[in-house]
Amino acid sequence: GQQVMQIPQYQHVQEGEDFTTYCNSSTTLSNIQWYKQRPGGHPVFLIQLVKSGEVKKQKRLTFQFGEAKKNSSLHITATQTTDVGTYFCAGPELYNFNKFYFGSGTKLNVKP
Amino acid sequence: DVKVTQSSRYLVKRTGEKVFLECVQDMDHENMFWYRQDPGLGLRLIYFSYDVKMKEKGDIPEGYSVSREKKERFSLILESASTNQTSMYLCASSLSRQGITEAFFGQGTRLTVV
């Protein structure tokens, strides 16, 4: 299946610090999605990026899709305790844009 | 609101039992997925279905089978449960289309095989 690698596995930050998670694929992706899973919850869709070099913002969250469409990042500015959770990227299979494979996730802990 | 409902939140089964995990979605989505979530391994795709009676293997189909007899229902079957299948199982569904194809997840079933 599609190999989508994500780093780091864990990140502990002080509230107010920034946070970044990176997602890398061995093959070119037609698009990439990001999800957030709160502790005890299920993954919830955040955003989908489609274009090469695309940058999208959602308040303090900035999502980037690499020029080669093989990597992506999620950056959170000035983290808050509400940002706690696990962030996943997900990429589709090469010839089937509906079949998604998830990365291993980055678990973010924010200390108040 | 899209709703994806998994039949059980928690399940305890014995080794060797046949286990059925049921998932129902109410938004007429073509695509349905079964993922398994384990610490440090993220969500691993077990099976994917893009239509009634259609299925494709994911990364870890061994020991599992699926059934999709109706569009809204996707069942995961553990033919003979083993302790290494103790995990959180997540069902998801999505529309089949170009453009935004977000997946909607159920609340998960935590299965323990003893």
Side-chain angles (χ1 to χ4, degrees):
Chain A
Q2 175 68 45
Q3 291 288 326
V4 181
M5 311 299 293
Q6 201 171 343
I7 54 169
Q9 190 173 350
Y10 300 98
Q11 187 83 53
H12 300 269
V13 299
Q14 199 71 41
E15 191 171 22
E17 291 180 340
D18 292 356
F19 158 77
T20 306
T21 174
Y22 300 90
C23 187
N24 295 293
S25 168
S26 55
T27 59
T28 301
L29 300 168
S30 59
N31 66 81
I32 195 157
Q33 295 184 350
W34 285 92
Y35 291 77
K36 177 183 178 180
Q37 184 177 26
R38 293 182 188 276
H42 56 270
V44 174
F45 175 82
L46 293 175
I47 207 160
Q48 180 170 314
L49 305 173
V50 179
K51 298 176 186 173
S52 169
E54 189 170 12
V55 178
K56 285 189 176 179
K57 292 193 175 189
Q58 288 180 350
K59 296 183 181 177
R60 294 177 295 103
L61 277 61
T62 302
F63 303 84
Q64 286 190 300
F65 201 9
E67 293 290 340
K69 300 181 80 172
K70 284 188 172 184
N71 57 72
S72 181
S73 65
L74 157 59
H75 179 82
I76 302 178
T77 304
T79 54
Q80 300 175 358
T81 54
T82 53
D83 295 325
V84 165
T86 303
Y87 293 85
F88 293 98
C89 60
E93 197 169 73
L94 190 58
Y95 299 111
N96 185 348
F97 61 87
N98 287 294
K99 189 175 177 184
F100 272 80
Y101 290 88
F102 280 73
S104 52
T106 297
K107 191 171 183 178
L108 172 64
N109 187 35
V110 179
K111 288 177 282 187
Chain B
D1 265 1
V2 175
K3 198 159 186 188
V4 180
T5 305
Q6 294 181 230
S7 52
S8 306
R9 192 71 198 263
Y10 300 94
L11 214 51
V12 180
K13 295 292 181 181
R14 293 193 183 279
T15 301
E17 271 192 83
K18 191 168 185 175
V19 181
F20 293 85
L21 302 184
E22 307 284 349
C23 176
V24 177
Q25 51 96 2
D26 66 359
M27 282 301 290
D28 204 34
H29 284 173
E30 295 86 359
N31 302 318
M32 295 191 76
F33 308 78
W34 275 106
Y35 291 94
R36 170 178 170 160
Q37 184 172 20
D38 300 287
L41 298 177
L43 279 70
R44 292 181 292 169
L45 181 63
I46 306 172
Y47 268 100
F48 164 67
S49 170
Y50 54 92
D51 202 350
V52 174
K53 296 191 190 296
M54 306 306 291
K55 62 185 179 186
E56 288 185 8
K57 293 180 180 179
D59 277 336
I60 51 165
E62 297 78 19
Y64 303 95
S65 61
V66 290
S67 171
R68 192 155 178 214
E69 296 297 317
K70 293 184 177 181
K71 191 176 184 180
E72 67 270 18
R73 188 179 295 269
F74 192 33
S75 303
L76 180 69
I77 303 151
L78 286 66
E79 296 292 340
S80 177
S82 64
T83 54
N84 63 13
Q85 291 178 310
T86 291
S87 186
M88 172 68 85
Y89 290 88
L90 288 160
C91 173
S93 72
S94 70
L95 277 172
S96 180
R97 60 178 179 185
Q98 295 278 8
I100 302 292
T101 54
E102 65 177 288
F104 294 86
F105 283 82
Q107 78 277 25
T109 296
R110 185 163 292 282
L111 172 67
T112 303
V113 182
V114 298

Coordinates of all heavy atoms in Angstrom, one line a residue, chain B residues 24-89:
Chain B
V24 N -22.4 1.1 10.2 CA -23.5 1.6 9.4 C -23.3 3.1 9.2 O -23.0 3.8 10.1 CB -24.9 1.3 10.0 CG1 -26.0 1.9 9.2 CG2 -25.1 -0.1 10.2
Q25 N -23.5 3.6 7.9 CA -23.4 5.0 7.7 C -24.7 5.4 7.0 O -25.3 4.7 6.3 CB -22.2 5.4 6.8 CG -22.0 4.6 5.5 CD -22.6 5.2 4.3 OE1 -23.1 6.3 4.3 NE2 -22.5 4.4 3.2
D26 N -25.1 6.7 7.3 CA -26.4 7.1 6.9 C -26.4 8.2 5.8 O -27.4 8.9 5.6 CB -27.2 7.6 8.1 CG -26.6 8.9 8.7 OD1 -25.6 9.4 8.2 OD2 -27.2 9.4 9.7
M27 N -25.2 8.4 5.1 CA -25.1 9.4 4.1 C -24.9 9.0 2.7 O -24.5 9.7 1.9 CB -24.0 10.4 4.5 CG -24.3 11.3 5.6 SD -25.7 12.4 5.2 CE -25.0 13.5 4.0
D28 N -25.3 7.7 2.5 CA -25.2 7.2 1.1 C -23.8 7.3 0.5 O -23.7 7.5 -0.7 CB -26.2 8.0 0.2 CG -26.7 7.2 -1.0 OD1 -26.8 6.0 -0.9 OD2 -26.9 7.8 -2.1
H29 N -22.8 7.1 1.3 CA -21.4 7.1 0.8 C -21.1 5.8 0.1 O -21.5 4.7 0.5 CB -20.5 7.3 2.0 CG -20.4 8.7 2.5 ND1 -19.8 9.0 3.7 CD2 -21.0 9.9 2.1 CE1 -19.9 10.3 3.9 NE2 -20.6 10.8 3.0
E30 N -20.4 6.0 -1.0 CA -19.9 4.8 -1.8 C -18.8 4.1 -1.0 O -18.7 2.9 -1.1 CB -19.5 5.2 -3.2 CG -20.6 5.8 -4.1 CD -20.8 7.3 -3.9 OE1 -20.1 7.9 -3.1 OE2 -21.6 7.8 -4.6
N31 N -17.9 4.9 -0.5 CA -16.7 4.3 0.1 C -16.8 4.0 1.6 O -17.3 4.8 2.3 CB -15.5 5.2 -0.1 CG -15.2 5.6 -1.5 OD1 -15.3 4.7 -2.4 ND2 -14.9 6.8 -1.8
M32 N -16.3 2.8 2.0 CA -16.3 2.5 3.4 C -14.9 1.8 3.7 O -14.4 1.1 2.8 CB -17.4 1.6 3.8 CG -18.8 2.4 3.7 SD -20.2 1.5 4.4 CE -19.9 1.8 6.2
F33 N -14.5 2.0 4.9 CA -13.1 1.6 5.3 C -13.2 0.9 6.6 O -14.0 1.3 7.5 CB -12.2 2.8 5.4 CG -12.1 3.7 4.2 CD1 -13.1 4.7 4.0 CD2 -11.0 3.7 3.4 CE1 -13.0 5.6 3.0 CE2 -10.9 4.6 2.3 CZ -11.9 5.5 2.1
W34 N -12.3 0.0 6.8 CA -12.0 -0.5 8.2 C -10.5 -0.3 8.4 O -9.6 -0.7 7.6 CB -12.3 -2.0 8.3 CG -13.7 -2.3 8.7 CD1 -14.7 -2.8 7.9 CD2 -14.3 -2.0 10.0 NE1 -15.9 -2.9 8.6 CE2 -15.7 -2.4 9.9 CE3 -13.8 -1.6 11.2 CZ2 -16.6 -2.3 10.9 CZ3 -14.7 -1.5 12.3 CH2 -16.1 -1.9 12.1
Y35 N -10.2 0.4 9.5 CA -8.8 0.6 10.0 C -8.6 0.0 11.3 O -9.6 -0.1 12.1 CB -8.5 2.1 10.1 CG -8.5 2.9 8.8 CD1 -9.6 3.5 8.3 CD2 -7.3 3.0 8.1 CE1 -9.6 4.2 7.1 CE2 -7.3 3.7 6.9 CZ -8.4 4.3 6.4 OH -8.4 5.0 5.2
R36 N -7.4 -0.3 11.6 CA -7.0 -0.7 12.9 C -6.0 0.3 13.5 O -5.1 0.7 12.8 CB -6.4 -2.1 12.8 CG -5.7 -2.6 14.0 CD -5.2 -4.0 13.8 NE -4.4 -4.3 15.0 CZ -4.0 -5.5 15.4 NH1 -4.4 -6.6 14.7 NH2 -3.3 -5.7 16.5
Q37 N -6.2 0.7 14.8 CA -5.3 1.7 15.4 C -4.6 1.1 16.6 O -5.2 0.6 17.5 CB -6.1 2.9 15.8 CG -5.2 4.0 16.4 CD -6.0 5.3 16.6 OE1 -7.2 5.3 16.8 NE2 -5.2 6.4 16.7
D38 N -3.3 1.1 16.5 CA -2.4 0.6 17.6 C -1.4 1.7 17.9 O -0.9 2.4 17.0 CB -1.7 -0.7 17.2 CG -2.7 -1.8 16.9 OD1 -3.3 -2.3 17.8 OD2 -2.8 -2.1 15.7
P39 N -1.0 1.9 19.2 CA -0.1 2.9 19.6 C 1.2 2.9 18.7 O 1.8 1.8 18.6 CB 0.2 2.6 21.0 CG -1.0 1.9 21.5 CD -1.5 1.1 20.3
G40 N 1.6 4.0 18.2 CA 2.8 4.1 17.4 C 2.7 3.7 16.0 O 3.7 3.9 15.2
L41 N 1.6 3.0 15.6 CA 1.5 2.5 14.3 C 0.4 3.3 13.5 O 0.2 3.0 12.3 CB 1.1 1.0 14.3 CG 2.1 0.1 15.0 CD1 1.6 -1.3 15.0 CD2 3.5 0.2 14.2
G42 N -0.2 4.2 14.1 CA -1.2 5.0 13.4 C -2.5 4.2 13.0 O -2.8 3.2 13.7
L43 N -3.1 4.6 11.9 CA -4.3 3.8 11.4 C -3.8 3.0 10.2 O -3.3 3.5 9.2 CB -5.4 4.8 11.0 CG -6.3 5.4 12.0 CD1 -5.5 6.4 12.9 CD2 -7.4 6.1 11.4
R44 N -4.0 1.7 10.4 CA -3.6 0.8 9.3 C -4.8 0.3 8.6 O -5.8 -0.2 9.2 CB -2.7 -0.3 9.8 CG -1.4 0.1 10.3 CD -0.5 -1.1 10.7 NE -1.1 -1.6 12.0 CZ -0.7 -2.8 12.5 NH1 0.2 -3.5 11.9 NH2 -1.2 -3.2 13.6
L45 N -4.9 0.4 7.3 CA -6.0 0.0 6.5 C -6.1 -1.5 6.4 O -5.2 -2.2 5.9 CB -5.9 0.7 5.1 CG -7.1 0.4 4.1 CD1 -8.4 1.0 4.7 CD2 -6.8 1.0 2.8
I46 N -7.3 -2.0 6.8 CA -7.5 -3.5 6.7 C -8.2 -3.8 5.4 O -7.7 -4.6 4.6 CB -8.3 -4.0 7.9 CG1 -7.7 -3.5 9.2 CG2 -8.5 -5.5 7.8 CD1 -8.6 -3.8 10.4
Y47 N -9.3 -3.2 5.1 CA -10.1 -3.4 3.9 C -10.8 -2.1 3.5 O -11.1 -1.3 4.4 CB -11.1 -4.5 4.1 CG -10.7 -5.9 3.7 CD1 -10.3 -6.8 4.7 CD2 -10.7 -6.3 2.4 CE1 -9.9 -8.1 4.3 CE2 -10.3 -7.5 2.0 CZ -9.9 -8.4 3.0 OH -9.4 -9.7 2.7
F48 N -11.0 -2.0 2.2 CA -11.7 -0.8 1.6 C -12.8 -1.4 0.7 O -12.6 -2.4 0.0 CB -10.7 0.0 0.9 CG -11.2 1.0 -0.1 CD1 -12.0 2.1 0.3 CD2 -11.0 0.8 -1.5 CE1 -12.5 3.0 -0.6 CE2 -11.5 1.8 -2.4 CZ -12.2 2.8 -1.9
S49 N -13.9 -0.7 0.7 CA -15.0 -1.1 -0.2 C -15.5 0.2 -0.9 O -15.7 1.2 -0.3 CB -16.2 -1.7 0.6 OG -17.3 -1.9 -0.3
Y50 N -15.6 0.1 -2.2 CA -16.1 1.2 -3.0 C -17.5 1.1 -3.6 O -18.0 2.0 -4.3 CB -15.1 1.5 -4.1 CG -14.8 0.4 -5.0 CD1 -15.5 0.2 -6.2 CD2 -13.8 -0.5 -4.7 CE1 -15.3 -0.9 -7.0 CE2 -13.5 -1.6 -5.6 CZ -14.2 -1.8 -6.7 OH -14.0 -2.9 -7.5
D51 N -18.1 -0.1 -3.3 CA -19.4 -0.3 -3.8 C -20.0 -1.6 -3.1 O -19.2 -2.4 -2.5 CB -19.5 -0.4 -5.3 CG -20.8 -0.1 -5.9 OD1 -21.8 0.0 -5.1 OD2 -20.9 0.0 -7.1
V52 N -21.2 -1.8 -3.2 CA -21.8 -3.0 -2.7 C -21.1 -4.2 -3.3 O -20.9 -4.3 -4.5 CB -23.3 -3.1 -3.0 CG1 -23.9 -4.4 -2.6 CG2 -24.0 -1.9 -2.3
K53 N -20.8 -5.2 -2.4 CA -20.1 -6.4 -2.8 C -18.7 -6.2 -3.4 O -18.0 -7.2 -3.7 CB -20.9 -7.2 -3.8 CG -22.3 -7.7 -3.3 CD -22.9 -8.7 -4.2 CE -24.4 -9.0 -3.8 NZ -24.5 -9.6 -2.5
M54 N -18.2 -5.0 -3.4 CA -16.8 -4.8 -3.9 C -15.9 -4.5 -2.7 O -16.3 -3.7 -1.8 CB -16.8 -3.6 -4.9 CG -17.8 -3.7 -6.0 SD -17.6 -5.2 -6.9 CE -16.1 -5.0 -7.7
K55 N -14.7 -5.0 -2.8 CA -13.8 -4.8 -1.7 C -12.3 -4.9 -2.2 O -12.1 -5.5 -3.3 CB -13.9 -5.9 -0.6 CG -13.7 -7.3 -1.1 CD -14.0 -8.4 -0.1 CE -13.7 -9.8 -0.6 NZ -14.1 -10.8 0.3
E56 N -11.5 -4.2 -1.5 CA -10.1 -4.3 -1.8 C -9.3 -4.4 -0.5 O -9.6 -3.8 0.5 CB -9.6 -3.0 -2.5 CG -10.1 -2.8 -3.9 CD -9.5 -1.6 -4.6 OE1 -8.6 -0.9 -4.1 OE2 -10.0 -1.3 -5.7
K57 N -8.2 -5.2 -0.6 CA -7.4 -5.3 0.6 C -6.6 -4.1 0.8 O -6.2 -3.3 -0.1 CB -6.4 -6.5 0.3 CG -7.1 -7.9 0.3 CD -6.1 -9.0 0.0 CE -6.7 -10.3 -0.1 NZ -5.8 -11.4 -0.3
G58 N -6.3 -3.9 2.1 CA -5.5 -2.8 2.5 C -4.1 -3.3 2.9 O -3.6 -4.3 2.2
D59 N -3.5 -2.8 3.9 CA -2.1 -3.2 4.2 C -2.1 -4.5 5.0 O -1.1 -5.2 5.0 CB -1.4 -2.1 5.0 CG -0.8 -1.0 4.1 OD1 -0.5 -1.3 3.0 OD2 -0.6 0.1 4.6
I60 N -3.1 -4.7 5.9 CA -3.1 -5.8 6.8 C -4.4 -6.6 6.8 O -5.0 -6.8 7.8 CB -2.8 -5.3 8.2 CG1 -3.8 -4.2 8.6 CG2 -1.4 -4.8 8.4 CD1 -3.8 -3.9 10.1
P61 N -4.7 -7.3 5.7 CA -6.0 -8.0 5.6 C -5.9 -9.4 6.2 O -7.0 -10.0 6.4 CB -6.2 -8.1 4.1 CG -4.8 -8.1 3.5 CD -4.0 -7.3 4.4
E62 N -4.7 -9.9 6.5 CA -4.6 -11.3 7.0 C -5.4 -11.5 8.3 O -5.2 -10.7 9.2 CB -3.1 -11.6 7.2 CG -2.3 -11.6 5.9 CD -1.9 -10.2 5.5 OE1 -1.9 -9.3 6.4 OE2 -1.5 -10.0 4.3
G63 N -6.2 -12.5 8.3 CA -7.0 -12.8 9.5 C -8.3 -12.1 9.6 O -9.1 -12.3 10.5
Y64 N -8.6 -11.3 8.5 CA -9.8 -10.6 8.5 C -10.5 -10.8 7.1 O -9.9 -11.1 6.1 CB -9.6 -9.1 8.6 CG -8.8 -8.6 9.8 CD1 -7.4 -8.4 9.7 CD2 -9.5 -8.3 11.0 CE1 -6.7 -8.0 10.8 CE2 -8.8 -7.9 12.1 CZ -7.4 -7.7 12.0 OH -6.7 -7.3 13.1
S65 N -11.8 -10.7 7.2 CA -12.6 -10.6 5.9 C -13.7 -9.6 6.1 O -13.9 -9.1 7.2 CB -13.3 -12.0 5.6 OG -14.2 -12.4 6.6
V66 N -14.3 -9.2 5.0 CA -15.4 -8.1 5.1 C -16.6 -8.5 4.3 O -16.5 -9.4 3.4 CB -14.8 -6.8 4.6 CG1 -13.8 -6.2 5.6 CG2 -14.3 -6.9 3.2
S67 N -17.7 -7.8 4.6 CA -18.9 -8.1 3.8 C -19.6 -6.8 3.6 O -19.7 -6.0 4.6 CB -19.8 -9.0 4.6 OG -21.1 -9.1 4.0
R68 N -20.0 -6.5 2.4 CA -20.8 -5.3 2.1 C -22.0 -5.7 1.2 O -21.9 -5.7 0.0 CB -20.0 -4.2 1.5 CG -20.7 -2.9 1.5 CD -19.8 -1.8 1.4 NE -20.6 -0.5 1.4 CZ -20.1 0.6 0.7 NH1 -19.0 0.5 0.1 NH2 -20.8 1.7 0.7
E69 N -23.1 -6.1 1.8 CA -24.3 -6.6 1.1 C -25.2 -5.4 0.8 O -26.0 -5.5 -0.1 CB -25.0 -7.6 1.9 CG -24.2 -8.9 2.1 CD -23.9 -9.6 0.8 OE1 -24.8 -9.7 -0.1 OE2 -22.7 -10.0 0.6
K70 N -25.1 -4.4 1.6 CA -25.9 -3.2 1.4 C -25.0 -2.0 1.5 O -24.0 -2.0 2.2 CB -27.0 -3.0 2.5 CG -28.1 -4.1 2.4 CD -29.1 -3.8 3.5 CE -30.3 -4.9 3.3 NZ -31.3 -4.6 4.3
K71 N -25.4 -0.9 0.8 CA -24.5 0.2 0.6 C -24.1 0.9 2.0 O -23.0 1.3 2.2 CB -25.2 1.3 -0.3 CG -24.3 2.4 -0.7 CD -25.0 3.3 -1.6 CE -24.0 4.4 -2.2 NZ -24.7 5.3 -3.1
E72 N -25.1 0.9 2.9 CA -24.9 1.6 4.2 C -24.1 0.7 5.2 O -23.8 1.3 6.2 CB -26.2 2.0 4.7 CG -27.1 0.9 5.2 CD -28.1 0.4 4.1 OE1 -27.8 0.7 2.9 OE2 -29.1 -0.3 4.4
R73 N -23.9 -0.5 4.9 CA -23.4 -1.4 6.0 C -22.1 -2.1 5.5 O -22.1 -2.7 4.5 CB -24.4 -2.4 6.4 CG -24.1 -3.3 7.6 CD -25.2 -4.3 7.9 NE -26.4 -3.6 8.3 CZ -26.8 -3.3 9.5 NH1 -25.9 -3.7 10.5 NH2 -27.9 -2.7 9.8
F74 N -21.1 -2.1 6.4 CA -19.8 -2.7 6.1 C -19.4 -3.5 7.3 O -19.2 -2.9 8.4 CB -18.8 -1.6 5.7 CG -17.5 -2.1 5.1 CD1 -17.5 -3.2 4.3 CD2 -16.3 -1.4 5.3 CE1 -16.3 -3.6 3.7 CE2 -15.1 -1.8 4.7 CZ -15.1 -2.9 3.9
S75 N -19.2 -4.8 7.2 CA -18.9 -5.6 8.3 C -17.5 -6.1 8.2 O -17.0 -6.5 7.2 CB -19.9 -6.8 8.4 OG -21.2 -6.4 8.4
L76 N -16.8 -6.1 9.4 CA -15.5 -6.7 9.5 C -15.6 -8.0 10.3 O -16.2 -8.0 11.3 CB -14.5 -5.7 10.2 CG -13.1 -6.2 10.4 CD1 -12.4 -6.3 9.0 CD2 -12.3 -5.3 11.3
I77 N -15.0 -9.0 9.7 CA -15.1 -10.4 10.3 C -13.8 -10.9 10.7 O -12.8 -10.9 9.8 CB -15.8 -11.3 9.4 CG1 -17.2 -10.8 9.0 CG2 -16.0 -12.7 10.0 CD1 -17.7 -11.2 7.6
L78 N -13.6 -11.3 11.9 CA -12.4 -12.0 12.4 C -12.8 -13.5 12.4 O -13.6 -13.9 13.2 CB -12.0 -11.5 13.7 CG -11.3 -10.1 13.9 CD1 -12.3 -9.0 13.5 CD2 -10.7 -9.9 15.2
E79 N -12.2 -14.2 11.5 CA -12.7 -15.6 11.3 C -12.4 -16.5 12.5 O -13.1 -17.3 12.9 CB -12.0 -16.2 10.1 CG -12.4 -15.5 8.7 CD -13.8 -15.8 8.4 OE1 -14.4 -16.8 8.9 OE2 -14.4 -15.0 7.5
S80 N -11.2 -16.2 13.1 CA -10.8 -17.0 14.3 C -9.9 -16.0 15.1 O -8.7 -15.9 14.9 CB -10.0 -18.2 14.0 OG -9.6 -18.9 15.1
A81 N -10.6 -15.3 16.1 CA -9.9 -14.2 16.8 C -8.6 -14.7 17.5 O -8.6 -15.8 18.1 CB -10.8 -13.6 17.8
S82 N -7.6 -13.9 17.4 CA -6.3 -14.2 18.1 C -6.0 -13.0 19.0 O -6.4 -11.9 18.7 CB -5.2 -14.5 17.1 OG -4.9 -13.4 16.3
T83 N -5.1 -13.2 20.0 CA -4.8 -12.1 20.9 C -4.1 -11.0 20.2 O -4.2 -9.8 20.6 CB -3.9 -12.7 22.0 OG1 -2.7 -13.3 21.5 CG2 -4.6 -13.7 22.9
N84 N -3.4 -11.2 19.1 CA -2.7 -10.1 18.4 C -3.7 -9.3 17.6 O -3.3 -8.3 16.9 CB -1.6 -10.6 17.5 CG -2.0 -11.6 16.4 OD1 -3.2 -11.7 16.1 ND2 -1.0 -12.2 15.8
Q85 N -5.0 -9.6 17.6 CA -6.0 -8.8 17.0 C -6.7 -7.9 18.0 O -7.6 -7.2 17.7 CB -7.0 -9.7 16.3 CG -6.4 -10.3 15.1 CD -7.4 -11.2 14.3 OE1 -8.1 -12.1 15.0 NE2 -7.6 -11.1 13.0
T86 N -6.2 -7.9 19.3 CA -6.6 -7.0 20.3 C -6.2 -5.6 19.8 O -5.0 -5.3 19.6 CB -6.0 -7.3 21.6 OG1 -6.6 -8.5 22.1 CG2 -6.3 -6.2 22.6
S87 N -7.2 -4.7 19.7 CA -6.9 -3.4 19.1 C -8.1 -2.5 19.1 O -9.2 -3.0 19.4 CB -6.4 -3.5 17.6 OG -6.0 -2.3 17.1
M88 N -8.0 -1.3 18.7 CA -9.1 -0.4 18.4 C -9.4 -0.5 16.9 O -8.5 -0.3 16.1 CB -8.7 1.1 18.8 CG -9.7 2.1 18.3 SD -11.3 2.0 19.2 CE -10.9 2.9 20.7
Y89 N -10.6 -0.7 16.6 CA -11.1 -0.8 15.2 C -11.9 0.4 14.8 O -12.9 0.7 15.5 CB -11.8 -2.1 14.9 CG -10.9 -3.3 15.0 CD1 -10.6 -3.9 16.2 CD2 -10.2 -3.8 13.9 CE1 -9.7 -5.0 16.3 CE2 -9.3 -4.8 13.9 CZ -9.1 -5.4 15.2 OH -8.2 -6.5 15.2

